[in-house]
Amino acid sequence: MVQARRQPQRTCLGCRQVKDKAQLMRFVCSPDGEILADLKGRLPGRGAYLCNNRDCIEAAVSKKQFDRTFRQVCQPVTGAQLVEGIAQILLAHLASLLGMARKSAKFVAGSNAVLDALNRKGLLAVIVLARDISPQIGEKVRRKAEYQKIVTTKLFNKAELGRILGRAERSVVGLPDGKLADAFLDDLLRYQDISGES
Ligand SMILES: [Zn+2]
């Protein structure tokens, strides 16, 4: 009989709940005392673990839990600064995943093309609407996507989306079902948890 392998467990510095390590964010302290979010879990040194949310980060900072865990006085930082830094890292991940979609030509861009793609069931897995998309078009895409249970999110503006995709302004981008979309959705959920956006 194969035994289920137990996931390594860690305690969140904020709420003190014990969770699977994979569910928590890792932080390390750099040699000069800077607290760094180690989202890929690859930085050396002792790690501190936190739930992927503002409250736990704020609690850890206000109770000086980082200093205790790292056994040194870390550079002062506010919870808001840590949250902002993590949100920026995740946004950069999301942009680079869209850039990968561009390189492999695995994306649908532009409102008409995305609306067309939405007529074919099961083609798209996630849709990014530019923050400055016209409300009517955004709503039209969102409704149609919702009907197919496809995730829609507002990220970047039209100019940024265009630049990431190597094109002129784009108001909508769809990613087809697949590994890239899965990776995008993973980071998107983390971004939404930490930024409080939806
Ligand atoms: Zn927590």
Side-chain angles (χ1 to χ4, degrees):
M1 207 173 80
V2 181
Q3 282 199 331
R5 194 179 296 165
R6 237 175 101 81
Q7 295 283 326
Q9 309 262 296
R10 293 290 184 274
T11 304
C12 167
L13 286 192
C15 64
R16 311 306 302 179
Q17 282 188 64
V18 178
K19 295 187 175 180
D20 285 352
K21 194 175 149 186
Q23 286 183 291
L24 299 167
M25 280 191 295
R26 182 172 190 266
F27 293 80
V28 295
C29 188
S30 78
D32 56 356
E34 192 185 354
I35 298 169
L36 301 172
D38 178 25
L39 299 187
K40 302 240 181 228
R42 288 186 192 143
L43 294 179
R46 190 182 170 83
Y49 292 84
L50 279 159
C51 299
N52 193 22
N53 70 55
R54 282 165 184 260
D55 290 349
C56 289
I57 293 173
E58 298 272 7
V61 169
S62 69
K63 292 180 199 154
K64 299 199 180 301
Q65 291 291 353
F66 286 106
D67 292 13
R68 219 161 284 165
T69 303
F70 296 129
R71 298 187 188 117
Q72 72 176 90
V73 179
C74 301
Q75 285 180 27
V77 65
T78 65
Q81 284 168 332
L82 283 178
V83 164
E84 177 60 23
I86 295 158
Q88 289 308 319
I89 294 172
L90 288 170
L91 261 189
H93 278 190
L94 290 165
S96 65
L97 287 169
L98 288 178
M100 282 173 72
R102 166 197 175 185
K103 281 188 189 131
S104 53
K106 283 185 180 156
F107 68 96
V108 181
S111 51
N112 289 333
V114 169
L115 285 167
D116 269 357
L118 281 172
N119 288 329
R120 288 187 282 157
K121 235 181 163 190
L123 186 71
L124 297 179
V126 55
I127 293 173
V128 180
L129 306 171
R131 293 189 204 274
D132 52 350
I133 191 171
S134 94
Q136 293 91 328
I137 296 175
E139 190 53 24
K140 198 171 168 187
V141 173
R142 204 188 54 75
R143 277 215 198 129
K144 217 166 169 180
E146 195 172 71
Y147 187 68
Q148 285 194 33
K149 299 196 166 48
I150 295 171
V151 174
T152 56
T153 183
K154 277 194 177 174
L155 289 174
F156 311 110
N157 58 36
K158 290 192 270 191
E160 287 168 330
L161 273 183
R163 195 158 54 239
I164 293 166
L165 297 167
R167 297 175 173 215
E169 290 191 345
R170 281 291 181 271
S171 55
V172 193
V173 181
L175 293 182
D177 205 10
K179 278 188 181 167
L180 200 66
D182 290 347
F184 191 90
L185 282 168
D186 271 359
D187 276 345
L188 178 64
L189 285 179
R190 292 163 83 189
Y191 176 75
Q192 289 174 336
D193 281 347
I194 201 87
S195 68
E197 289 181 27
S198 60

